[in-house]
Amino acid sequence: MTTTARGRVLIAEDEPPIVTSLEFLLKSRRIDTRAAGDGETALALAEAFKPHVVLLDVMLPKVSGFEVCRVIRAKKKGWQPRIIFLTARGLEADIARGREIGADLHIGKPFSTKDLMTDIERLLRDASPDWTPIT
């Protein structure tokens, strides 16, 4: 059995229980994972790690998730990850703003981990040339 990573995901979330849960789920599917507890760290990790998918909380300390998304999308050349907003802010205005700045999905908290993993794996299939399903 191979242990090769099946893609890279950055979790930008300031709630440790959510980070722990997501890391466990992703790593159990052999997805290389990094986590940041604030927007400033998320931007630095995104640049260094080059994730295929970013799970991004809107309400992050230091730099908001909206700003993190905007900065990532401003990089027009090269690497462009898929971005999923995970947030308790489910107002239509927040969802529209996320779309305007380039988010691929907006998922409200609390969320179904099964549905989230389906969405992540679909986006990894689209974004990661080395993605392979676990059979």
Side-chain angles (χ1 to χ4, degrees):
M1 181 167 135
T2 182
T3 58
T4 303
R6 302 172 53 246
R8 296 180 303 278
V9 174
L10 171 61
I11 304 165
E13 170 63 60
D14 63 339
E15 294 183 40
I18 293 175
V19 173
T20 300
S21 174
L22 291 173
E23 283 180 323
F24 175 80
L25 287 168
L26 293 162
K27 289 178 180 181
S28 73
R29 288 170 173 81
R30 295 193 325 265
I31 297 169
D32 195 5
T33 305
R34 301 290 185 281
D38 63 71
E40 189 175 277
T41 304
L43 284 170
L45 271 175
E47 188 64 35
F49 181 51
K50 302 284 192 255
H52 297 108
V53 174
V54 177
L55 303 177
L56 187 55
D57 188 3
V58 169
M59 298 182 291
L60 289 171
K62 298 185 182 179
V63 177
S64 77
F66 287 132
E67 183 64 10
V68 171
C69 183
R70 189 196 64 71
V71 169
I72 289 172
R73 289 297 185 239
K75 298 178 183 303
K76 298 291 185 200
K77 293 186 178 183
W79 157 80
Q80 276 294 315
R82 304 299 192 259
I83 297 176
I84 301 174
F85 276 122
L86 293 177
T87 182
R89 294 182 62 157
L91 298 174
E92 200 54 46
D94 292 324
I95 295 169
R97 183 174 179 200
R99 271 192 227 115
E100 287 171 15
I101 59 175
D104 295 283
L105 291 171
H106 189 108
I107 298 174
K109 293 177 185 176
F111 52 85
S112 158
T113 54
K114 180 181 177 199
D115 291 345
L116 177 61
M117 288 309 302
T118 298
D119 288 334
I120 291 169
E121 290 195 338
R122 178 177 51 81
L123 292 174
L124 281 172
R125 245 189 327 273
D126 295 343
S128 173
D130 55 343
W131 190 90
T132 55
I134 291 179
T135 56

